[in-house]
Amino acid sequence: MLVWTACGAVLLFILMWIDSFFTKYKDLDEIKRGNTAVTTRFIMKLYAQGYILAQSLAISSDLWTALFVSVASFIILFILEKLVTLLLKNIAKLDLDEGTQTGKVAHALVAGSLHITGALIITSSLSL
C-alpha cells in the first residue's frame, strides 16, 4: 500500500507539473498572489486528476497498469479540455484562461468543471 500510494503521489505531482506548462499563467505564482479564480481552478483540476488516479489504482491489480491508465487518461482529459476551451473561445467568445487569470471565478468554475466532468466520464469507462 505504501509503494502504491507513493507512486500515485509522485505521478500526480508529475502530471500537474506537466499541465502547468500548458497554462498561459503560472498557477503557483497566481495562487501566491491570492488569485481566488486560479486557486479554484487548480483545486478542481487537482481533484479531477486525483480522482482518475484513485479509480485506476482501485480497479487495477498491477501498479504499472494503473499508472499507465492514469497517464493515458491525463492525455485524453488534456485533449478534451483543449478542444472544449477552443470551442468556447471561438464560438461563445469565452476565454477561460484569460478570465481565470484576471480573477473571474465564474471562468475558473467553468474551466474546473470541464476537468471534473471529463474525469467522471473517463473513469466511468475504466471498468469496461
Side-chain angles (χ1 to χ4, degrees), residues 51-60 65-66 68-74 76 118-128:
Y51 185 74
I52 289 170
L53 179 61
Q55 293 303 306
S56 65
L57 288 170
I59 65 165
S60 181
T65 301
F68 175 77
V69 167
S70 294
V71 170
S73 298
F74 168 80
I76 293 168
L120 292 171
I121 292 168
I122 289 168
T123 56
S124 70
S125 68
L126 291 179
S127 61
L128 297 177

Side-chain angles (χ1 to χ4, degrees), residues 38-51:
V38 171
T39 305
T40 301
R41 181 177 181 267
F42 183 84
I43 290 168
M44 294 174 81
K45 189 171 29 172
L46 180 63
Y47 174 80
Q49 290 302 328
Y51 185 74

